[in-house]
């Protein structure tokens, strides 16, 4: 039989005073810590949940109360999720949603960077509007291949860094060389914790007339060069850049060269999509193009019969 009970707070979080109207006796029961945790997470829902279960608890009688509390705590823990507070720490074993190559080069006025907008869930191209080039501060551009969520985490860290730097209001600001050095330390630090950020990063920029372009891998390997690429671009785009890049490259020629690299990657990289952005950064500022597609030709004989000359290899 359910008893008629009034419940009222005797303190902000810890004690609940309950009055049994049928007997006129008052009793105090300390609320279980895990129930109080739910109240702190969602005050309205938690209060209703707590009152309902205290009423049920007092209606059970002395002998069944311990069993009820045990069942209550198990049900609450089940609602917390698959990983509880006492479970071992989990590490990212494999990336989930990834972006493919980023290609960048220096031209006579600054830096040009290109990346497509595909996000692959395993071998499935799940997303086709993922922006993987972002401006950082006043002088830098950052492009990333690899795990998209890790890239978002890096962007949050960089936003905090830029905000902290701006708070000094000393007329100075972080340049691309400083940001590249910061990223190398972050990536190497996470690698040493066996919990890497699953990205290869390209950072370029211009400050005080000096052009800077560098990359850093997921384990902290880094270098500076006149043209860089990540992912498949290291194998397919860099040879083209070595042949055709020169120091006095104009903006128009630089864009054509990047488009040539991205077209080759589109033909050969299964994770590439025909939707890309090209960004430039100069002393005047940063410009990121609207997404667009390249003109392609799929009538090559090798595309029509890809196993010709390799019979029996599949």
């Amino acid at each position: 039989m359910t008893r008629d009970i009034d419940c009222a707070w005797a303190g902000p979080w810890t004690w609940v005073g309950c009055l049994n109207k049928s007997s006129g006796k008052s009793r105090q029961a300390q609320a279980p810590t895990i129930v109080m945790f739910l109240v702190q997470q969602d005050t309205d829902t938690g209060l209703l949940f707590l009152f309902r279960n205290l009423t049920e608890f007092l209606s059970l009688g002395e002998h069944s109360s311990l069993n009820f509390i045990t069942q209550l705590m198990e049900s609450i823990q089940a609602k917390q999720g698959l990983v509880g507070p006492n479970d071992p720490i989990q590490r990212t074993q494999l990336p989930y949603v990834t972006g493919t190559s980023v290609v960048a080069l220096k031209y006579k006025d600054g830096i040009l960077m290109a990346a497509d907008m595909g996000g692959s869930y395993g071998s499935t191209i799940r997303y086709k509007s993922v922006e993987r080039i972002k401006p950082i501060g006043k002088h830098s551009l950052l492009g990333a291949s690899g795990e998209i969520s890790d890239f978002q985490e890096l962007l949050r860290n960089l936003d905090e860094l830029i905000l902290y730097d701006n708070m000094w209001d000393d007329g100075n600001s972080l340049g691309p060389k400083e940001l590249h050095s910061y990223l190398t330390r972050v990536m190497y630090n996470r690698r040493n914790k066996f919990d890497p950020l699953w990205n290869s990063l390209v950072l370029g920029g211009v400050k005080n007339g000096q052009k800077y372009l560098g990359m850093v891998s997921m384990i902290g390997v880094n270098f500076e060069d006149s043209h860089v690429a990540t992912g498949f671009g290291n194998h397919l785009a860099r040879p083209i850049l070595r042949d055709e890049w020169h120091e006095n490259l104009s903006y128009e020629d630089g864009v054509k060269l990047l488009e040539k690299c991205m077209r080759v990657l589109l033909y050969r990289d299964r994770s590439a999509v025909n939707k890309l952005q090209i960004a430039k950064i100069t002393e005047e500022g940063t410009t990121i193009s609207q997404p667009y597609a390249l003109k392609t030709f799929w009538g090559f004989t090798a595309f029509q019969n890809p196993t010709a000359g390799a019979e029996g290899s599949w």
Side-chain angles (χ1 to χ4, degrees):
M1 179 177 178
T2 304
R3 298 178 181 179
D4 187 12
I5 295 173
D6 281 341
C7 296
W9 289 107
W13 297 110
T14 307
W15 293 89
V16 177
C18 297
L19 176 64
N20 184 348
K21 288 184 178 179
S22 61
S23 64
K25 297 180 180 180
S26 64
R27 65 175 70 183
Q28 281 194 334
Q30 187 170 9
T33 303
I34 195 163
V35 176
M36 302 306 295
F37 175 76
L38 283 179
V39 173
Q40 291 177 356
Q41 289 293 313
D42 187 347
T43 304
D44 296 332
T45 306
L47 277 172
L48 293 173
F49 184 75
L50 177 64
F51 285 175
R52 186 189 69 212
N53 284 295
L54 278 173
T55 304
E56 189 175 353
F57 171 72
L58 292 172
S59 68
L60 288 172
E62 299 284 339
H63 300 290
S64 302
S65 59
L66 181 59
N67 185 35
F68 172 77
I69 290 295
T70 302
Q71 293 177 358
L72 174 64
M73 295 181 71
E74 288 177 353
S75 67
I76 292 171
Q77 287 176 345
K79 292 176 182 178
Q80 295 296 314
L82 297 177
V83 180
N86 296 323
D87 290 336
I89 297 174
Q90 302 292 314
R91 302 297 193 196
T92 301
Q93 301 298 314
L94 290 171
Y96 279 79
V97 178
T98 59
T100 185
S101 307
V102 178
V103 184
L105 53 83
K106 293 179 180 178
Y107 75 106
K108 66 177 183 178
D109 296 323
I111 304 294
L112 286 172
M113 190 179 299
D116 69 21
M117 303 187 70
S120 299
Y121 182 76
S123 59
T124 302
I125 302 176
R126 175 66 180 80
Y127 306 101
K128 296 183 180 180
S129 296
V130 180
E131 295 183 2
R132 297 189 290 118
I133 302 177
K134 296 289 185 179
I136 306 296
K138 300 177 181 178
H139 309 287
S140 304
L141 271 176
L142 178 65
S145 58
E147 173 60 52
I148 301 301
S149 63
D150 285 348
F151 179 46
Q152 293 169 340
E153 175 69 15
L154 276 169
L155 291 176
R156 282 193 289 268
N157 293 340
L158 288 167
D159 284 343
E160 293 178 3
L161 181 69
I162 296 298
L163 179 62
Y164 179 78
D165 180 60
N166 290 340
M167 286 169 58
W168 287 98
D169 195 23
D170 57 0
N172 194 16
S173 57
L174 292 172
K177 187 174 183 178
E178 292 81 17
L179 290 175
H180 184 240
S181 178
Y182 169 80
L183 290 173
T184 63
R185 298 306 89 210
V186 169
M187 302 299 276
Y188 187 66
N189 175 263
R190 290 292 294 263
R191 175 258 192 185
N192 285 341
K193 294 180 178 179
F194 291 89
D195 188 20
L197 294 169
W198 220 282
N199 297 109
S200 292
L201 306 171
V202 174
L203 190 130
V206 182
K207 184 180 180 182
N208 299 329
Q210 299 296 315
K211 295 174 284 189
Y212 186 91
L213 182 61
M215 69 88 61
V216 54
S217 75
M218 62 178 285
I219 59 173
V221 176
N222 61 92
F223 60 88
E224 179 190 359
D225 206 344
S226 298
H227 47 77
V228 297
T230 66
F232 253 113
N234 257 327
H235 308 283
L236 300 178
R238 289 299 296 279
I240 299 173
L241 294 172
R242 292 189 186 105
D243 287 341
E244 301 187 22
W245 179 87
H246 57 86
E247 191 171 356
N248 293 320
L249 206 64
S250 67
Y251 170 76
E252 291 76 14
D253 290 339
V255 170
K256 288 180 182 178
L257 182 54
L258 285 180
E259 287 181 345
K260 181 176 182 179
C261 293
M262 298 303 292
R263 187 177 291 107
V264 170
L265 290 169
L266 177 62
Y267 287 148
R268 296 297 182 183
D269 184 358
R270 69 169 186 183
S271 298
V273 298
N274 195 8
K275 185 180 181 181
L276 71 146
Q277 289 179 301
I278 291 183
K280 74 170 182 177
I281 183 166
T282 64
E283 285 280 17
E284 284 72 35
T286 304
T287 304
I288 301 178
S289 73
Q290 292 297 314
Y292 68 99
L294 297 172
K295 291 182 179 180
T296 57
F297 176 72
W298 297 93
F300 295 110
T301 305
F303 290 161
Q304 294 173 356
N305 188 12
T307 60
E311 291 81 359
S313 63
W314 295 93

